[in-house]
Amino acid sequence: LDEALGILKKNGISAVLGTPTAVMPAWAANKYPEAMATDVHGRRVTWGVRKDMCFTNADYRRLSRQITRAMAEHFKKTPNVIGWQTDNELGSGVLGCTCGSCRSAFQGWLKERHKTIDRFNAAMGTHFWGQKYGAWEEIFIPVDYERYNPSLCLEWDRFVSWLTVQFQSEQVKILREVCPKHFVTHNFMGLFSKLNYYDLAEELDFAGLDSYPVGEG
């Protein structure tokens, strides 16, 4: 990157750097296997593609903060670096890990949101089909949107969106602290509906957009 930025500077070109957290290196997946996401079938994703991480895994979150800070410290005084892009197309890849850590986090988020299990049952309409819960720990992650309680599916989508915002927020705080003169943005994916883009954009200076004019069909 130093060499590339030097070439760009010689040609009068400024640069925006992206935090490299859209995929973990192979050594990280081997050292911290639980940082890999679990799919809807309960299987741990095999390393080898991007966007395959668990956002509730403490090791992955720590490593993400560390690499973000290391990059920010290294490039904060590079004259032609003018801004940062967080991660890459948040929401693509494995959206919503289903491991035990994510299930516990989902239960805690629901408890904070609904306060009591009776209020949660009323809001979800769990009297239908005998789906009533007696404790927060009984709640499963909905993995089949065509068959599961639609209200619970919506809550899961909201939780995943909230979790993604929290993940980005950690990076934004570091970038603001270390590089206060740089702008911070993210490359959003058009009308992607699985994340609350208003929440995701709130801490950014402006929203970027990935445009694929040729299409992928």
Side-chain angles (χ1 to χ4, degrees):
L1 285 176
D2 285 332
E3 181 181 359
L5 289 167
I7 294 171
L8 293 175
K9 183 176 182 295
K10 289 179 182 179
N11 290 275
I13 301 173
S14 298
V16 180
L17 296 178
T19 57
T21 52
V23 62
M24 69 184 79
W27 68 261
N30 279 278
K31 188 173 182 178
Y32 306 105
E34 292 185 351
M36 299 296 295
T38 299
D39 66 18
V40 295
H41 304 292
R43 300 173 302 198
R44 187 80 64 185
V45 175
T46 302
W47 185 90
V49 297
R50 59 180 182 158
K51 319 298 288 185
D52 53 6
M53 67 291 294
C54 169
F55 277 171
T56 66
N57 181 265
D59 289 313
Y60 180 73
R61 294 283 283 266
R62 173 178 54 81
L63 292 172
S64 296
R65 292 192 299 270
Q66 287 177 345
I67 191 62
T68 298
R69 183 172 293 278
M71 283 192 67
E73 291 285 357
H74 185 82
F75 294 109
K76 64 182 179 182
K77 294 183 179 180
T78 303
N80 60 325
V81 172
I82 60 173
W84 296 84
Q85 173 195 292
T86 58
D87 200 85
N88 176 68
E89 293 185 336
L90 286 167
S92 61
V94 179
L95 183 59
C97 170
T98 62
C99 72
S101 173
C102 286
R103 182 185 175 190
S104 295
F106 180 45
Q107 293 165 348
W109 182 85
L110 290 171
K111 183 177 181 180
E112 177 67 23
R113 179 173 169 84
H114 295 277
K115 307 306 181 185
T116 71
I117 197 69
D118 289 337
R119 290 178 61 180
F120 170 76
N121 280 311
M124 297 298 104
T126 58
H127 59 284
F128 185 68
W129 280 4
Q131 294 179 334
K132 188 174 182 179
Y133 297 96
W136 300 107
E137 294 73 21
E138 296 177 356
I139 300 172
F140 288 90
I141 294 173
V143 295
D144 185 344
Y145 280 25
E146 293 185 2
R147 301 178 63 191
Y148 274 71
N149 182 313
S151 297
L152 185 62
C153 291
L154 178 58
E155 289 293 80
W156 171 248
D157 283 347
R158 288 169 171 162
F159 165 74
V160 171
S161 183
W162 171 84
L163 184 61
T164 305
V165 171
Q166 301 310 303
F167 172 76
Q168 177 186 252
S169 182
E170 291 180 350
Q171 296 190 11
V172 173
K173 286 181 173 63
I174 293 170
L175 296 171
R176 298 284 190 213
E177 172 194 340
V178 181
C179 305
K181 295 182 179 180
H182 294 168
F183 65 75
V184 182
T185 186
H186 180 72
N187 56 326
F188 291 79
M189 301 180 291
L191 299 177
F192 184 74
S193 62
K194 284 295 185 177
L195 295 181
N196 187 325
Y197 271 3
Y198 293 97
D199 291 345
L200 196 63
E202 187 171 349
E203 292 187 284
L204 304 176
D205 291 297
F206 54 86
L209 173 67
D210 277 354
S211 178
Y212 300 94
V214 178
E216 298 178 327

